[in-house]
Coordinates of all heavy atoms in Angstrom, one line a residue:
D1 N -210.4 -119.8 -37.6 CA -209.6 -119.4 -36.5 C -208.9 -120.5 -35.8 O -208.1 -120.3 -34.7 CB -210.4 -118.6 -35.5 CG -210.9 -117.3 -36.1 OD1 -210.3 -116.7 -37.0 OD2 -212.1 -116.9 -35.7
L2 N -209.2 -121.7 -36.1 CA -208.6 -123.0 -35.5 C -207.1 -123.1 -35.8 O -206.8 -123.0 -37.1 CB -209.4 -124.2 -35.9 CG -210.8 -124.3 -35.2 CD1 -211.5 -125.6 -35.8 CD2 -210.7 -124.4 -33.7
T3 N -206.3 -123.4 -34.9 CA -204.9 -123.6 -35.2 C -204.4 -125.0 -34.8 O -205.4 -125.8 -34.3 CB -204.0 -122.6 -34.4 OG1 -204.3 -122.9 -32.9 CG2 -204.4 -121.1 -34.6
I4 N -203.3 -125.4 -35.1 CA -202.8 -126.7 -34.7 C -202.9 -126.9 -33.1 O -203.4 -128.0 -32.7 CB -201.4 -127.0 -35.2 CG1 -201.4 -126.8 -36.7 CG2 -200.8 -128.3 -34.7 CD1 -199.8 -126.9 -37.2
E5 N -202.5 -125.9 -32.3 CA -202.7 -126.1 -31.0 C -204.1 -126.2 -30.5 O -204.3 -126.9 -29.5 CB -201.9 -125.0 -30.3 CG -200.3 -124.9 -30.5 CD -199.7 -123.8 -29.8 OE1 -200.4 -122.9 -29.3 OE2 -198.5 -123.7 -29.7
D6 N -205.0 -125.5 -31.0 CA -206.5 -125.5 -30.7 C -207.1 -126.8 -30.9 O -207.7 -127.4 -30.0 CB -207.3 -124.6 -31.5 CG -206.7 -123.0 -31.0 OD1 -206.2 -122.9 -29.9 OD2 -206.9 -122.1 -31.9
W7 N -206.9 -127.4 -32.1 CA -207.6 -128.6 -32.6 C -206.6 -129.9 -32.6 O -207.1 -131.1 -32.6 CB -208.1 -128.4 -33.9 CG -209.3 -129.2 -34.1 CD1 -210.0 -130.1 -33.3 CD2 -210.0 -129.5 -35.4 NE1 -211.0 -130.8 -33.9 CE2 -211.0 -130.5 -35.3 CE3 -209.8 -129.0 -36.6 CZ2 -211.9 -130.9 -36.3 CZ3 -210.7 -129.4 -37.7 CH2 -211.7 -130.3 -37.4
G8 N -205.3 -129.7 -32.7 CA -204.5 -130.8 -32.8 C -204.3 -131.2 -34.3 O -205.3 -131.1 -35.1
W9 N -203.0 -131.7 -34.7 CA -202.8 -132.1 -36.0 C -203.4 -133.2 -36.4 O -203.8 -133.4 -37.6 CB -201.2 -132.1 -36.2 CG -200.7 -133.3 -35.4 CD1 -200.0 -133.3 -34.3 CD2 -200.6 -134.6 -35.9 NE1 -199.6 -134.5 -33.9 CE2 -199.9 -135.4 -34.9 CE3 -201.0 -135.3 -37.1 CZ2 -199.7 -136.8 -35.0 CZ3 -200.8 -136.7 -37.1 CH2 -200.2 -137.4 -36.1
E10 N -203.7 -134.2 -35.5 CA -204.2 -135.5 -35.8 C -205.7 -135.4 -36.1 O -206.2 -136.4 -36.7 CB -204.1 -136.6 -34.6 CG -204.7 -136.4 -33.4 CD -204.1 -135.2 -32.5 OE1 -203.0 -134.7 -32.9 OE2 -204.7 -135.0 -31.5
R11 N -206.4 -134.3 -35.8 CA -207.8 -134.1 -36.0 C -208.2 -133.4 -37.3 O -209.3 -133.1 -37.5 CB -208.5 -133.4 -34.9 CG -208.5 -134.3 -33.7 CD -209.3 -133.6 -32.6 NE -209.3 -134.4 -31.3 CZ -208.9 -133.9 -30.1 NH1 -208.4 -132.7 -30.0 NH2 -209.0 -134.8 -29.0
Q12 N -207.2 -133.1 -38.0 CA -207.4 -132.3 -39.3 C -207.0 -133.1 -40.5 O -206.2 -133.9 -40.5 CB -206.7 -131.0 -39.2 CG -207.0 -130.2 -37.9 CD -206.3 -128.9 -37.8 OE1 -206.3 -128.1 -38.8 NE2 -205.6 -128.6 -36.7
H13 N -207.6 -132.7 -41.7 CA -207.2 -133.1 -43.0 C -206.1 -132.2 -43.6 O -206.4 -131.1 -43.7 CB -208.4 -133.2 -44.0 CG -209.2 -134.5 -43.9 ND1 -210.5 -134.6 -44.4 CD2 -208.8 -135.7 -43.4 CE1 -210.9 -135.8 -44.3 NE2 -209.9 -136.5 -43.5
W14 N -205.0 -132.7 -43.9 CA -203.9 -132.0 -44.4 C -203.6 -132.3 -45.9 O -203.8 -133.5 -46.2 CB -202.6 -132.4 -43.6 CG -202.8 -132.0 -42.1 CD1 -203.1 -132.9 -41.0 CD2 -202.7 -130.8 -41.6 NE1 -203.3 -132.2 -39.9 CE2 -202.9 -131.0 -40.0 CE3 -202.3 -129.5 -42.0 CZ2 -202.7 -129.8 -39.1 CZ3 -202.2 -128.4 -41.1 CH2 -202.4 -128.6 -39.8
H15 N -203.1 -131.2 -46.5 CA -202.7 -131.3 -48.0 C -201.3 -130.8 -48.1 O -200.9 -129.7 -47.6 CB -203.7 -130.5 -48.7 CG -205.3 -130.8 -48.6 ND1 -205.7 -132.0 -49.1 CD2 -206.1 -130.1 -47.9 CE1 -207.0 -131.9 -48.7 NE2 -207.2 -130.8 -47.9
T16 N -200.6 -131.6 -48.8 CA -199.1 -131.2 -48.9 C -199.0 -130.2 -50.0 O -199.5 -130.1 -51.1 CB -198.2 -132.5 -49.4 OG1 -198.4 -133.4 -48.4 CG2 -196.8 -132.1 -49.5
F17 N -198.1 -129.1 -49.8 CA -197.8 -128.1 -50.6 C -196.4 -127.9 -50.9 O -195.9 -127.2 -51.9 CB -198.4 -126.8 -50.2 CG -197.8 -126.2 -49.0 CD1 -196.7 -125.3 -49.1 CD2 -198.3 -126.3 -47.8 CE1 -196.1 -124.8 -47.9 CE2 -197.8 -126.0 -46.6 CZ -196.5 -125.1 -46.7
A18 N -195.5 -128.6 -50.2 CA -194.0 -128.5 -50.5 C -193.3 -129.6 -49.8 O -193.9 -130.1 -48.8 CB -193.5 -127.2 -49.9
S19 N -192.2 -130.0 -50.3 CA -191.5 -131.1 -49.6 C -190.0 -131.0 -50.0 O -189.6 -130.3 -51.1 CB -192.1 -132.6 -50.1 OG -191.3 -133.6 -49.5
G20 N -189.2 -131.5 -49.2 CA -187.7 -131.3 -49.3 C -186.9 -132.2 -48.5 O -187.4 -133.0 -47.6
I21 N -185.6 -131.8 -48.3 CA -184.7 -132.6 -47.4 C -183.7 -131.4 -47.0 O -183.3 -130.7 -47.8 CB -183.9 -133.8 -48.0 CG1 -183.0 -134.5 -46.9 CG2 -183.2 -133.4 -49.3 CD1 -182.5 -135.7 -47.5
E22 N -183.4 -131.5 -45.6 CA -182.4 -130.7 -45.1 C -181.4 -131.5 -44.5 O -181.6 -132.5 -43.8 CB -183.0 -129.6 -44.0 CG -184.2 -128.8 -44.4 CD -183.7 -127.9 -45.4 OE1 -182.7 -127.1 -45.1 OE2 -184.4 -127.6 -46.5
W23 N -180.1 -131.0 -44.5 CA -179.0 -131.8 -43.9 C -177.9 -131.0 -43.5 O -177.8 -129.8 -43.9 CB -178.5 -132.9 -44.9 CG -177.8 -132.3 -46.1 CD1 -176.5 -132.1 -46.3 CD2 -178.4 -131.9 -47.4 NE1 -176.3 -131.5 -47.5 CE2 -177.3 -131.4 -48.2 CE3 -179.7 -131.9 -47.9 CZ2 -177.7 -130.9 -49.6 CZ3 -180.0 -131.4 -49.1 CH2 -178.9 -130.8 -50.0
G24 N -177.1 -131.6 -42.6 CA -175.9 -130.9 -42.1 C -174.6 -131.6 -42.9 O -174.7 -132.0 -44.0
R25 N -173.7 -131.8 -42.1 CA -172.5 -132.5 -42.5 C -172.6 -134.0 -41.8 O -172.2 -134.0 -40.7 CB -171.2 -131.9 -42.3 CG -170.0 -132.4 -43.0 CD -168.7 -131.6 -42.7 NE -167.6 -132.2 -43.2 CZ -167.2 -131.8 -44.6 NH1 -167.9 -131.1 -45.2 NH2 -166.0 -132.6 -45.0
F26 N -172.9 -135.0 -42.6 CA -173.0 -136.3 -41.9 C -172.7 -137.4 -43.1 O -172.3 -137.1 -44.2 CB -174.6 -136.5 -41.7 CG -175.5 -136.8 -42.8 CD1 -176.0 -138.0 -43.0 CD2 -175.8 -135.7 -43.8 CE1 -176.9 -138.3 -44.1 CE2 -176.6 -136.0 -44.7 CZ -177.2 -137.3 -45.0

């Protein structure tokens, strides 16, 4: 039941499941 706001992102172990890049016109 713990969420990022409850425990904070820095206190958890994270595993990557996706990655990419988003862009506009630059």
Side-chain angles (χ1 to χ4, degrees):
D1 294 331
L2 289 174
T3 64
I4 295 175
E5 293 181 351
D6 294 332
W7 201 12
W9 66 266
E10 71 279 1
R11 293 191 176 118
Q12 305 184 47
H13 271 166
W14 297 96
H15 307 283
T16 301
F17 67 90
S19 179
I21 183 171
E22 302 294 311
W23 68 90
R25 189 177 179 88
F26 72 109

